[in-house]
Amino acid sequence: MSDLTDLTISESLKKLRNKEISPVELTKAYVENMENNNAKYNAYVTTTAELALAQAKEAEIKYLNGTNRPLEGIALGIKDLFCTKGVRTTACSHILDNFIPQYESTVTQHLLNDGAIFLGKLNLDEFAMGGSNETSYFGPVINPWSKEVKLVAGGSSGGSAAAVAAKMCAAATGTDTGGSIREPAAFCGVTGIKPTYGRCSRYGIVAFASSLDQAGPIAKDVTDCALLLNSMAGYDANDSTSSKEVVPDFSSFIGQDIKGLKVGIPQEYRVDGLNPEVAAYWDKAAEMLKASGAEIVSISLPHTKYALPTYYVIAPAEASSNLARYDGVRYGERVEGNGLDELYINSRTEGFGKEVKRRILIGTYVLSAGYYDAYYLKAQKVRRLIKNDFDEAFKKCDIILTPTSPIEPFAIGDKKMLENPINMYLNDVFTVSVNLAGLPAMSLPIGLSQKGLPFGMQLIGKAFDEGTIFKTAYQLERSANFVRM
Ligand code: GLN
């Protein structure tokens, strides 16, 4: 019999419900992988194996009593950006490295209510700022697909994607402000969806850029993503931006056919620097969808070239405001000084890493009197144009197909993130527009490069139409037949 951790969540649930396996057995298998492999990949920054086994024992009783909560006995990893009651939550920043929340985030509470088990907290770029997990206070995550050279796992949810790929959890939570679920999922050969803005509550998730942040799952396949999103989504009175839109059963879209579905290919996404292998897979993915009955149409998203500069004005602006609360008084790390100002300065100097400081500086600059109109207000206007592009495009198509990242996973240290961040920012070219427009998008693995590294494809849907993403992604997944690690 293959290892229990090879099973997807949907397969595991079948076996759990038929009493072929027990939650304790299944959880122990994940704990073993976590304990044996974490030193190698650095995916978890906090492990809670004992807690997980205690939860598994409870799940065992639940199964004996015949209750059937949708995720009973499924062991998950949690991105360390979600507040977990009584379990250290750091955002992978020194400034929060001893912070123990008094409350649970809404999304993780939903998962617990549905019977999920938590194995620990997963590594990320500091405050989710980055695309390679190299800005984490706890060091980079190693991509489990690495061969001789250690490769990045992508970011910011690098720990989540790596842990799923290396079977150190059945699935994980992620967050996505400009690509942080999709890019690491692509780099690690797993599947992740950023739902529509407002689908999941942001309550209890450490804020990066509030108008862009969304939670979502990273899992082994499309079916598992649907199961998780069913649990994570929903209106929450604690988050005024969460949506009252009805949450459909996302699993019901799995297996639906896509005959006659119009798939848009945005011409502006054929950017300079697009890896030719990625481009070839993009064409191949379109062919696969066509073979499943979809119609391929060419579309235009004319403001694409402004997406990165717009994102890198708005995201730092919101971040600088959100991060003002870390003052050494109310949370985490405090470094004393002569008087209050010095205490602030010392705590923030010591507590924040280089990339976070850079974003605070950019953010306060673009928001300052005299520059506000030129940068921040301008960026808000362009954001609207980018959204309008999508509105126009969706008059011609039902879903959009693009690569997730223009490149394959690169070596740790390769992009010189801290010296020249622009190199890194450019990798977000296909993901940030989606957040600016508030749309849902999924990344799923399509195949391997010649070097044997995974590539991801992105499917972008209309607002609150994750269903079309799920049915299309499922068909593409079947055609691509990607072999997981
Ligand atoms: N890579 C992007 C950034 O550095 C996106 C990060 C994210 O989605 N959290 O901001």
Side-chain angles (χ1 to χ4, degrees):
M1 198 181 96
S2 68
D3 191 317
L4 289 181
T5 61
D6 285 332
L7 300 173
T8 61
I9 295 178
S10 58
E11 291 164 347
S12 299
L13 284 170
K14 265 190 212 131
K15 289 192 189 290
L16 286 166
R17 286 171 187 156
N18 292 335
K19 315 244 179 329
E20 286 169 55
I21 58 171
S22 80
V24 171
E25 225 180 322
L26 184 60
T27 304
K28 273 191 177 154
Y30 281 113
V31 167
E32 211 175 283
N33 277 359
M34 175 172 80
E35 288 178 343
N36 291 341
N37 296 325
N38 199 44
K40 194 154 81 193
Y41 301 131
N42 198 28
Y44 283 91
V45 294
T46 304
T47 57
T48 54
E50 263 176 46
L51 213 67
L53 290 169
Q55 288 173 314
K57 288 203 180 101
E58 277 175 40
E60 198 121 341
I61 296 166
K62 294 265 196 250
Y63 273 111
L64 287 175
N65 292 338
T67 51
N68 240 354
R69 292 190 293 179
L71 296 171
E72 194 74 70
I74 298 301
L76 305 178
I78 304 300
K79 185 178 186 178
D80 206 16
L81 203 62
F82 291 81
C83 285
T84 41
K85 190 176 179 183
V87 176
R88 185 175 78 133
T89 299
T90 69
C92 287
S93 179
H94 182 35
I95 212 158
L96 282 177
D97 65 1
N98 59 9
F99 173 58
I100 298 182
Q102 305 288 315
Y103 66 106
E104 192 72 32
S105 84
T106 300
V107 163
T108 48
Q109 188 62 54
H110 281 323
L111 292 166
L112 289 171
N113 293 347
D114 283 343
I117 288 168
F118 292 171
L119 292 159
K121 305 300 289 288
L122 293 160
N123 205 344
L124 65 140
D125 280 296
E126 185 178 0
F127 284 106
M129 296 176 194
S132 64
N133 220 120
E134 291 169 286
T135 72
S136 166
Y137 178 65
F138 300 102
V141 174
I142 315 296
N143 191 321
W145 290 83
S146 302
K147 309 227 151 56
E148 305 82 49
V149 183
K150 283 185 181 157
L151 305 174
V152 301
S156 67
S157 313
S160 305
V164 174
K167 294 175 271 187
M168 296 194 282
C169 56
T173 61
T175 64
D176 192 312
T177 304
S180 277
I181 287 176
R182 292 160 284 156
E183 190 239 21
F187 278 12
C188 293
V190 293
T191 303
I193 180 165
K194 178 205 100 72
T196 311
Y197 184 79
R199 221 6 143 190
C200 294
S201 168
R202 291 182 294 107
Y203 179 73
I205 301 174
V206 177
F208 165 8
S210 307
S211 77
L212 302 163
D213 297 345
Q214 255 303 285
I218 296 183
K220 289 172 183 164
D221 67 2
V222 176
T223 307
D224 284 5
C225 278
L227 281 169
L228 282 175
L229 191 58
N230 279 343
S231 175
M232 294 166 76
Y235 170 72
D236 175 15
N238 284 329
D239 172 7
S240 59
T241 64
S242 76
S243 168
K244 287 191 172 148
E245 196 81 21
V246 176
V247 181
D249 175 7
F250 296 115
S251 303
S252 69
F253 294 93
I254 303 295
Q256 283 188 19
D257 81 61
I258 55 166
K259 290 204 175 64
L261 189 88
K262 288 202 175 81
V263 178
I265 308 284
Q267 290 321 305
E268 292 81 1
Y269 278 46
R270 304 228 170 244
V271 294
D272 291 343
L274 178 63
N275 176 324
E277 282 192 79
V278 176
Y281 268 118
W282 189 11
D283 294 341
K284 220 164 157 179
E287 282 306 316
M288 287 174 187
L289 291 173
K290 204 168 152 189
S292 302
E295 188 188 325
I296 306 298
V297 296
S298 175
I299 57 161
S300 175
L301 297 169
H303 295 91
T304 297
K305 60 176 178 290
Y306 303 116
L308 280 174
T310 303
Y311 172 84
Y312 279 100
V313 168
I314 292 175
E318 294 186 16
S320 71
S321 156
N322 276 325
L323 268 54
R325 73 189 71 171
Y326 305 106
D327 53 10
V329 177
R330 284 169 292 181
Y331 299 89
E333 174 77 4
R334 171 181 305 183
V335 183
E336 299 294 345
N338 264 329
L340 191 59
D341 281 353
E342 218 178 278
L343 180 144
Y344 288 161
I345 293 169
N346 293 349
S347 301
R348 288 167 70 86
T349 303
E350 183 81 9
F352 290 135
K354 206 168 164 183
E355 181 62 20
V356 171
K357 283 179 189 152
R358 174 168 21 235
R359 304 227 184 169
I360 293 173
L361 286 175
I362 296 171
T364 46
Y365 180 83
V366 299
L367 288 176
S368 57
Y371 296 105
Y372 185 91
D373 289 4
Y375 294 105
Y376 186 68
L377 213 58
K378 184 72 136 206
Q380 294 288 32
K381 289 179 180 163
V382 182
R383 180 179 189 171
R384 166 61 59 165
L385 295 176
I386 290 168
K387 181 181 177 296
N388 291 350
D389 281 359
F390 281 106
D391 290 345
E392 280 306 307
F394 280 126
K395 288 180 186 160
K396 285 179 71 183
C397 65
D398 306 300
I399 194 160
I400 296 171
L401 174 75
T402 80
T404 307
S405 167
I407 55 166
E408 63 183 354
F410 48 90
I412 290 175
D414 216 24
K415 296 272 161 192
K416 303 253 179 309
M417 172 76 173
L418 295 179
E419 295 95 77
N420 183 4
I422 305 286
N423 276 342
M424 186 72 67
Y425 300 168
L426 290 174
N427 295 338
D428 303 330
V429 59
F430 298 149
T431 48
V432 295
S433 304
V434 165
N435 301 71
L436 290 168
L439 301 174
M442 175 181 270
S443 175
L444 72 157
I446 188 76
L448 296 179
S449 70
Q450 277 170 10
K451 286 191 218 147
L453 301 175
F455 282 136
M457 277 298 135
Q458 173 173 242
L459 288 164
I460 306 170
K462 297 176 190 166
F464 296 105
D465 189 19
E466 290 87 355
T468 299
I469 296 182
F470 279 114
K471 71 177 183 187
T472 314
Y474 180 75
Q475 297 299 341
L476 188 55
E477 174 179 76
R478 285 204 344 188
S479 310
N481 201 12
F482 181 82
V483 181
R484 290 195 300 273
M485 266 190 82

